[in-house]
Amino acid sequence: MTEQQALAHIGVVGLAVMGSNLARNFASRGHTVAVYNRSYEKTALLVEEHGNEGSFLPAKSIEEFVASLERPRRAIIMVQAGAATDAVINQLADAMEPGDIIIDGGNALYTDTMRREREISAKGLHFVGAGISGGEEGALNGPSIMPGGPKESYESLGPLLESIAAVVDGVPCCTHIGADGAGHFVKMVHNGIEYADMQVIGEAYHLLRYAARMTPAEISDVFKEWNTGDLDSYLVEITAEVLAQVDAETGQPLIDVIVDSAGQKGTGRWTVKAALDLGIATTGIGEAVFARALSGARTQRTAAVGNLPAGTLTTLEALGVDRADFIEDVRRALYASKLVAYAQGFDEIKAGGVENNWELRPGDLATIWRGGCIIRAKFLNRIKEAYETDPELQSLLLDPYFKGEVANLVDSWRRVVVLSTQLGLPIPVFASSLSYYDSLRSERLPAALIQGQRDFFGAHTYERTDKPGHFHTLWSGDRTEVQTS
Ligand code: ATR
């Protein structure tokens, strides 16, 4: 064997679950993979348990790891986000040579990725922040990959990443997203959309459970049925699985023994913070993040449960609502709210692209989210088509196909919001999405009044509907109007 043949095509640093699964994925596709972990036990375990799946080159030090890579060297970092990532980047950068590529495959904050790209490119190395979605299973069998960084590094890296990505209709779920932090930005918004998608599914479950009084097993069947139609998606599929699960210890539905406080690692929060900075109304994602926060406020909830007046509540029976009709209304409300969350997420992506000079292509993103990732869903095909037909689409909701869909959903959506309110059941994303939708289509918004108030207390001026310029009313004087610009 020549020395060249003995070198690895790619390396993975950090061999916890995601890293080792990614390394195994590369190896199983015929690539020789250099593997390194800070503590050698994880490296040894990977090779011991999975060495027969392909060609691994285990390294005991960063220097040995770097020496085992073919040039340009390509090393994917899969360690804890934050300080650990910075530490490993610096170790690799010290041991590498100009032209080599460092890839951060973790969930880094995109502004960190932009900073790292500046620092690393100053050393003549390439830095690629790559969003990788799909969890453990995706990393092993085919994730959706969103690499940013310089386009030229994608020429050497792209084929390798595309070879391990999920494939839908012959198209790999991996494409170059844009310069520096673009990949991590898009992955962040993907995760934000995932938060909203999970929350709307949660709200639908909650209504079927506590308004229609169905059992988790019955609701599981409903989700299985929904998964054969417009809502066909990984998240709806696993929802049916979770709801069907029975706790071995108590014999209860597992859902009933799981504490109702949702965790979060922060990407949803980042999405909302970025949206606030960009001035984009991502209300669905925002409400989903807040819903998790409120679910976690356990002390406060304990103080409030049974202790806050609910007013006069009713039931579906008292209102004479047919259960089958209600279930279909909930399905439609879920679909419409989900659509709003995606529309808002894509708005944020477009705004982030403009802000950072990334030429983001929403149609391409919908394409690579069709497989491998957590939000994979049949309707991403429609989103892909919508943005391919009109890349300048002002809102996904204005696409002719989705407009037609919402026309069929909106009456149900309104009924569900009204009924839930009458029953005292919380539906933060269903309700706020409908308000967003109504805001978007309203000819007049109360913002005119806000401008009047701002001008009254702070002389912030306002624009007029009938002529250009900025105006101020002399509120504390004779209340005549002056033009200020
Ligand atoms: P997961 O969530 O998949 O378990 P994680 O917590 O994001 O993974 O990252 C854990 C990985 O980061 C491990 O490979 C860990 O190395 P050890 O096995 O030696 O603990 C690695 N890691 C954490 N801090 C690190 C650091 N400062 N330098 C190098 N690697 C580090």
Side-chain angles (χ1 to χ4, degrees), residues 52 93 104 135 147 170 193 260 357 389 431 434 478 483:
N52 60 348
D104 175 12
I193 292 173
D260 61 349
N357 294 317
T389 308
L434 182 55
D478 63 2
Q483 182 161 5

Side-chain angles (χ1 to χ4, degrees), residues 24-314:
R24 289 172 58 197
N25 189 348
F26 277 115
S28 71
R29 315 272 171 167
H31 305 295
T32 300
V33 192
V35 285
Y36 169 75
N37 193 68
R38 177 180 59 175
S39 47
Y40 188 68
E41 300 89 78
K42 284 198 178 75
T43 315
L45 195 68
L46 170 66
V47 176
E48 186 188 315
E49 292 186 344
H50 304 287
N52 60 348
E53 293 171 10
S55 176
F56 295 97
L57 298 183
K60 286 193 169 145
S61 69
I62 274 277
E63 291 73 22
E64 190 189 338
F65 170 79
V66 167
S68 69
L69 292 167
E70 70 173 22
R71 290 183 196 170
R73 300 183 180 89
R74 293 167 291 240
I76 302 191
I77 301 173
M78 296 298 293
V79 304
Q80 244 161 25
T85 300
D86 275 314
V88 174
I89 289 171
N90 290 332
Q91 288 164 21
L92 282 173
D94 288 346
M96 283 181 156
E97 290 171 306
D100 290 348
I101 307 170
I102 300 175
I103 306 116
D104 175 12
N107 263 334
L109 181 60
Y110 74 99
T111 46
D112 284 345
T113 303
M114 293 168 85
R115 167 183 59 80
R116 287 167 180 150
E117 210 269 338
R118 277 195 302 275
E119 290 166 4
I120 296 301
S121 63
K123 297 180 182 178
L125 297 163
H126 293 270
F127 185 74
V128 173
I132 302 180
S133 176
E136 296 174 24
E137 197 268 332
L140 183 60
N141 297 316
S144 177
I145 311 178
M146 295 151 251
K151 191 155 182 59
E152 70 179 284
S153 58
Y154 194 77
E155 281 161 25
S156 136
L157 186 63
L160 269 165
L161 296 180
E162 288 179 16
S163 75
I164 63 153
V167 177
V168 176
D169 297 339
V171 182
C173 295
C174 174
T175 191
H176 181 245
I177 304 291
D180 53 69
H184 276 142
F185 177 80
V186 162
K187 170 63 173 22
M188 172 190 79
V189 179
H190 161 286
N191 282 26
I193 292 173
E194 179 183 312
Y195 274 56
D197 207 339
M198 293 169 75
Q199 175 68 24
V200 288
I201 290 172
E203 290 177 19
Y205 156 73
H206 201 70
L207 292 179
L208 298 187
R209 187 78 193 273
Y210 299 103
R213 308 209 169 276
M214 297 166 72
T215 65
E218 288 169 336
I219 302 171
S220 170
D221 289 339
V222 169
F223 274 98
K224 269 191 204 123
E225 168 67 26
W226 288 355
N227 201 37
T228 62
D230 300 317
L231 294 176
D232 179 340
S233 62
Y234 172 71
L235 283 170
V236 167
E237 180 191 328
I238 65 165
T239 299
E241 300 274 339
V242 172
L243 292 174
Q245 184 73 12
V246 173
D247 176 44
E249 206 171 309
T250 59
Q252 298 291 308
L254 179 68
I255 186 77
D256 287 347
V257 298
I258 297 179
V259 172
D260 61 349
S261 295
Q264 49 183 317
K265 281 193 166 176
T267 44
R269 192 165 48 226
W270 290 347
T271 309
V272 178
K273 281 185 180 173
L276 289 171
D277 287 339
L278 290 165
I280 301 296
T282 54
T283 55
I285 301 170
E287 287 292 353
V289 173
F290 287 133
R292 289 201 194 184
L294 185 56
S295 78
R298 287 158 74 171
T299 312
Q300 193 180 38
R301 287 176 58 200
T302 303
V305 170
N307 207 14
L308 288 177
T312 308
L313 300 180
T314 183

